[in-house]
Amino acid sequence: MITLYSYPNSRSLRAAWTLEELGLDYTCQYIDLTSGEGQGTEYLTRHPDGKVPALKDGELTLFESAAICRYLAERYGQGSLMPGDPTQRAKLDQWLFFIVSELEQPLWALGKHKFALPQERRVPAVIPTAAWEFQRALAALQREFDGEGWLVGEEFTIGDILLGHTLSWAKSAKQPLPNALEAYLQRCNERPARSAAQKREQEAQEAEA
Ligand SMILES: N[C@@H](CCC(=O)N[C@@H](CS)C(=O)NCC(=O)O)C(=O)O
């Protein structure tokens, strides 16, 4: 039995999207981050920092969105969402680490200092630097990936889930994207599994209302 702990429009979408791509049966459990449920004693046993996503699969509990996507693909993918060839898999790992460190972090710094951190913790002066760092990482991505096809190899992988999700955040943050990456993002967003994942997360929230 798989349970995903989620909150709509957050990084838990990456895990829900992976679950939907794999056609797995799972329970989507809404965690009300706005009411402090994340920091409650019970949820801290699922995620020690009280964040989403977290996953429970039998005896295993797991946090960190990239690790969850990777686990699901490796365990249940049967060759999909993750290349079998070690060289290609190394490339996939390279991009996963790049996305969650180099690409996502400046974008997240931007979001944190605009709206996510408590008001008294925000330092608006870092925003232009964070935007500059994000554009630098985006330029690095583009030197290796022109937006044609998928990020690694010929098939759609969890690398595209993480990149597609991160680029959609970039758009919400009004960061300019080159046309080729806009088109790539549109192809990611058109995947039925992405819409299904969003729907599941919203339904889980509504069920708790
Ligand atoms: N590196 C973590 C980041 C998780 C994270 O920051 N999640 C946010 C939602 S996108 C969260 O739960 N925030 C609540 C909080 O900071 O208390 C991952 O990729 O899973």
Side-chain angles (χ1 to χ4, degrees), residues 26-174:
Y26 66 102
T27 301
C28 192
Q29 174 68 51
Y30 171 69
I31 298 299
D32 187 357
L33 295 176
T34 58
S35 76
E37 188 181 356
Q39 295 299 323
T41 323
E42 194 188 334
Y43 187 62
L44 287 173
T45 64
R46 306 275 181 251
H47 192 309
D49 205 10
K51 297 185 177 186
V52 295
L55 186 92
K56 186 159 173 19
D57 184 11
E59 294 300 301
L60 175 72
T61 54
L62 202 58
F63 58 93
E64 283 298 327
S65 56
I68 292 171
C69 296
R70 204 181 185 291
Y71 164 72
L72 291 169
E74 189 147 37
R75 174 130 202 185
Y76 298 110
Q78 296 176 327
S80 70
L81 295 188
M82 187 180 253
D85 167 61
T87 308
Q88 291 286 81
R89 198 172 276 213
K91 276 292 185 191
L92 174 67
D93 284 343
Q94 167 200 283
W95 285 120
L96 293 179
F97 294 133
F98 177 84
I99 292 162
V100 297
S101 55
E102 304 296 329
L103 194 64
E104 178 195 286
Q105 283 314 307
L107 197 58
W108 186 223
L110 221 143
K112 280 191 290 192
H113 291 281
K114 264 192 184 162
F115 61 85
L117 286 171
Q119 191 90 43
E120 69 279 9
R121 298 273 175 202
R122 295 179 205 166
V123 183
V126 307
I127 291 172
T129 301
W132 175 81
E133 280 189 294
F134 172 73
Q135 289 297 332
R136 179 183 165 166
L138 195 65
L141 169 75
Q142 281 179 270
R143 281 184 204 106
E144 298 256 325
F145 177 58
D146 60 8
E148 295 294 321
W150 300 116
L151 183 60
V152 179
E154 303 298 312
E155 306 292 334
F156 180 87
T157 67
I158 53 170
D160 299 296
I161 291 179
L162 262 81
L163 183 57
H165 180 260
T166 304
L167 292 180
S168 65
W169 266 12
K171 271 191 78 85
S172 311
K174 308 227 170 340

